[in-house]
Amino acid sequence: MDEAIVRYPQDRIRSAAMPLLHLWQEHFGFISDEGVNWIAAKLNLQPVNILELVTFYPMFRQHAAGKRHIRICRTLSCAMAGSYRLMEKLCEATGIERKIDKQEMHNPVSGSPDGNYSIEFVECLASCGTAPVCMVNEDLHENVQPESVTELLQNQTSNIKLATGPIRPHGGHQTSPHPLEHRLIFKNIGREDWKIDIDTYIRDGGYKQLEKAVTMSRIDIVNEVKTSGLRGRGGAGFPCGVKWSFIKPDEKKPVYLIANADESEPGTFKDRYIIHEDPHQLLEGILISCFAINAHIAYIYIRGEFPTGARILEHAIEEARAKNFLGMDILGSGFDVDVYIHRGAGAYICGEETGLIESLEGKRAYPRIKPPYFPAVLGLYMCPTVVNNVETLCHVKHIIAMGGAKYARLGRPNNTGTRIVCVSGDVQRPGYFEIEVGSVTMGQLIYDMAGGLKFGRTLKAVIPGGSSAKVLRADERFKLKQKQSDGSTIEREMSIDEIPMDFDSLTAAGSMAGSGGVIVLDDSRDMVWTLNNINAFYAHESCGQCTPCREGALWMKKITDRMLLGGGVIEDPRTLKTIGDNIAGRTICAFGEACAWPTQSFVEKFPDEFAARAAKSIPPPLPPEYMPEELVERETIPTSPLAHDPGWEKAGAAGTI
């Protein structure tokens, strides 16, 4: 614990609260009142400052779990692959009678009578290409079919090994590059001769770019990144070099760099592979970036669900320190820099940069209002801070190696370089693919690279950028403007198969590239069920700071819950859209849009399916004890005339509510 505390400035040791909570829970199995009080005293805080973290972050427990604690992913790709059946089979095999709370927000941990097992549903575990997945204690298990639960319970080892060899994606995905791929970041992923130790990395040319960077001026490095046109790969797509240039060259306050490794967007699983199979590439990108912005401390904020990844990175940091790539006077340059790991605890909102900063400061991850809290001006500890995604930071190394101008020739104008696209859902070969941005169409990605739809199925819809992206129908036609080689622009109508996989084309098609998580849905999928799964994720992950999001996300989940159970009323589709419209644009951070866009797009794109689930008459206003269960149980619902308030007479069906 003392070692964890010294990783943060002496006057900011509240940041050590989450590391200390992790250590306490790993040692004792849960966070007791004694633990809360002890950690508060250790950090000179009030017990409530620690308790608010325990009750906010889902990974912290206030009661002991079983000797073997099983966490099953319930988000979309895993649910489509059978994670709910997996939960049933595991409960049967372990004798667990699973508790379900009425709100179903934080499904409580359920234990077996003998105390040997406990089980819970969790949100995305970032291994969507090998769905369904679960964690047994700290071990990730991939492709866990419901029929193989006995084997899972007997297997004491993880599918992911620490520093003993690469992850092998299952499900038929090839580890060698597809002909349409252009691998830069994933050059070493899946190589048979590759080990993750620093000696192998150096023999392959590793840290040469850091050696080059420390001989360059900082402004030259920033300009190379600007010239490259690199856009952030975490979801927003903001130009990386522009973000760096917000840091003043003569800044007097300490400058911080944060690597955002909180990979929580359902459908996205690229950063996991970088961390597990090529940690030194990430570390080199971080160190070059630190030198460029004059940051002497960098934090890697890594998901709590990546315990093996955190250990791999800790080991890589120590290896790099021993070779003088970080620490005091790195490579004789006179520049000092330290890199530390900071583990999250299961909150998706920490992917939002200001929420992440609040979390790193030892608080609940409530995003800050921008402006004034732009991280480059007022970030970590109210100091200038750059927050970049894992994949983005890895690109920095390759930009220094190639030069910004050469890098910019990869991909398309304003969509330069390569990016990793993750494909999951109803395809033959789910997995990751690194492509030049815009060089591959949606059709090539699905049918050629991912092997096409499962036998006998046809494409129904695609979510192109993680679960928060708006859904695209397979039979839609899109009008996209495209730049020609002579600089002119033409408008072209195209099918979903023809859409280039780049930032601007997907935005023009009405969705977004997001975090690169492509979820494919075939004609067997119920769109109300699909939206309900997504709504459950966002209702669970809302931080609760903003009323429209806190209330609206839960309302949307409750309505789709009820529709699935047969209690849908004719106004439900319109009500869902209205709720979404009243969340988007009315919250402090972009989570409002993330939870609203799926509802807005699913209801608009699949009206017949939602109407079919919303056939009952609209009930009259009744006392609060009239619960949604009655809408499910009653065959018919009595209606009442509308009150004659202005405009109300046009609401509802035939003038009733």
Side-chain angles (χ1 to χ4, degrees), residues 386-401:
V386 166
V387 184
N388 281 136
N389 167 261
V390 165
E391 185 188 349
T392 311
L393 290 165
C394 289
H395 278 283
V396 171
K397 159 194 163 72
H398 299 283
I399 290 166
I400 297 301

Side-chain angles (χ1 to χ4, degrees), residues 546-598:
C546 305
T547 304
C549 175
R550 179 184 68 246
E551 300 298 324
L554 183 56
W555 293 354
M556 292 189 297
K557 175 195 175 290
K558 285 181 173 180
I559 291 172
T560 49
D561 275 349
R562 181 164 50 72
M563 290 174 76
L564 285 176
L565 293 171
V569 299
I570 53 178
E571 281 294 291
D572 279 345
R574 194 168 78 170
T575 303
L576 280 169
K577 185 180 181 305
T578 301
I579 295 168
D581 293 346
N582 281 288
I583 300 173
R586 291 170 170 82
T587 55
I588 286 173
C589 80
F591 187 99
E593 284 73 28
C595 75
W597 284 345

Side-chain angles (χ1 to χ4, degrees), residues 24 28 30-38 54 61-63:
W24 188 282
F28 294 104
F30 67 104
I31 313 292
S32 60
D33 290 345
E34 180 192 6
V36 168
N37 292 327
W38 192 93
V54 177
R61 297 188 295 269
Q62 292 179 280
H63 303 282

Side-chain angles (χ1 to χ4, degrees), residues 253-275:
K253 289 182 178 178
V255 177
Y256 295 96
L257 176 78
I258 302 174
N260 185 347
D262 192 74
E263 185 176 42
S264 311
E265 180 80 13
T268 314
F269 49 96
K270 56 191 174 65
D271 296 347
R272 173 189 282 281
Y273 288 95
I274 295 169
I275 291 166

Side-chain angles (χ1 to χ4, degrees), residues 483-525:
K483 274 193 175 180
Q484 303 302 297
S485 53
D486 61 359
S488 62
T489 302
I490 62 166
E491 186 174 79
R492 192 176 146 223
E493 186 174 270
M494 59 181 67
S495 68
I496 193 170
D497 292 344
E498 298 172 294
I499 299 174
M501 293 298 296
D502 63 51
F503 293 95
D504 297 338
S505 297
L506 288 167
T507 301
S511 189
M512 65 174 178
S515 56
V518 177
I519 305 173
V520 179
L521 304 163
D522 69 24
D523 59 339
S524 69
R525 297 299 170 189

Side-chain angles (χ1 to χ4, degrees), residues 637-653:
I637 305 294
T639 61
S640 67
L642 279 165
H644 285 283
D645 288 345
W648 277 37
E649 66 275 4
K650 295 181 181 177

